[in-house]
């Protein structure tokens, strides 16, 4: 009967590399867990909850009535667009549509009507657009708030 004895030789360099890779693997798993598991996010509009849907508000430009549509879900502003914009309005007011798009992007990104920046030459138009968005959001708010 012969027994075969196996001897394992570990070099210190290999042990150090293995420990470092294990530590890096654990840190990577922690980072992924923090990034991908959602936390309770509070919207920047406070505790405002909306009734999901599409809400409209009118903007009058030189006797032409335009509708701004604000699409919301329970807690977010999803999109803002001008619904009945025809070629006459875009010709007579070429800066109106870019102003709506710029403000819509900022509002959807920040979820708030506060601290919206706009060009100095669009001050009046931007204020009219912001008032129309605010009017539509007031219609969207859940009763009792």
């Amino acid at each position: 009967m012969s027994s075969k004895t196996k001897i394992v030789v570990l070099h210190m360099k290999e042990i150090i590399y293995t420990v470092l890779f294990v530590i890096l693997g654990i840190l990577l798993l922690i980072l992924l867990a923090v990034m991908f598991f959602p936390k309770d996010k509070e919207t920047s509009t406070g505790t405002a909850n909306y009734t999901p849907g599409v809400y409209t508000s009118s903007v009058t430009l030189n006797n032409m009535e335009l509708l701004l549509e604000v699409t919301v879900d329970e807690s977010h502003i999803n999109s803002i667009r001008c619904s009945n914009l025809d070629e006459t309005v875009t010709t007579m007011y070429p800066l109106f549509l870019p102003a709506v798009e710029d403000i819509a992007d900022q509002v959807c990104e920040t979820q708030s009507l506060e601290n919206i920046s706009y060009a100095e030459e669009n001050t009046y138009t931007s204020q009219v657009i912001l008032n129309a968005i605010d009017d539509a959001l007031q219609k969207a708010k859940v009763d009792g708030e």
Side-chain angles (χ1 to χ4, degrees), residues 81-82 85 90 93-103 125 129:
R81 70 181 193 95
C82 196
L85 193 64
T90 57
Y93 303 101
L95 297 178
F96 182 75
L97 186 59
V100 169
E101 291 171 352
D102 180 46
I103 290 172
T125 305
I129 294 167

Side-chain angles (χ1 to χ4, degrees), residues 23 56-57 98:
I23 291 172
T56 60
S57 181

Side-chain angles (χ1 to χ4, degrees), residues 18-32:
T18 303
V19 169
L20 284 175
F21 284 126
V22 167
I23 291 172
L24 287 175
I26 292 170
L27 288 175
L28 179 65
L29 290 175
I30 292 171
L31 177 69
L32 289 174

Side-chain angles (χ1 to χ4, degrees), residues 71-144:
T71 306
V72 297
D73 60 19
E74 290 179 353
S75 60
H76 294 91
I77 303 167
N78 295 330
S79 70
I80 300 168
R81 70 181 193 95
C82 196
S83 65
N84 62 341
L85 193 64
D86 62 359
E87 190 175 310
T88 306
V89 175
T90 57
T91 303
M92 294 193 56
Y93 303 101
L95 297 178
F96 182 75
L97 186 59
V100 169
E101 291 171 352
D102 180 46
I103 290 172
D105 290 341
Q106 291 181 53
V107 169
C108 289
E109 183 178 323
T110 62
Q111 295 294 309
S112 172
L113 295 178
E114 302 295 320
N115 300 324
I116 301 296
S117 62
Y118 42 83
E120 196 172 302
E121 62 268 5
N122 291 343
T123 303
Y124 175 74
T125 305
S126 298
Q127 286 298 322
V128 169
I129 294 167
L130 286 171
N131 289 340
I133 293 171
D134 185 46
D135 182 45
L137 289 175
Q138 292 302 320
K139 294 176 186 176
K141 283 198 176 184
V142 173
D143 292 335

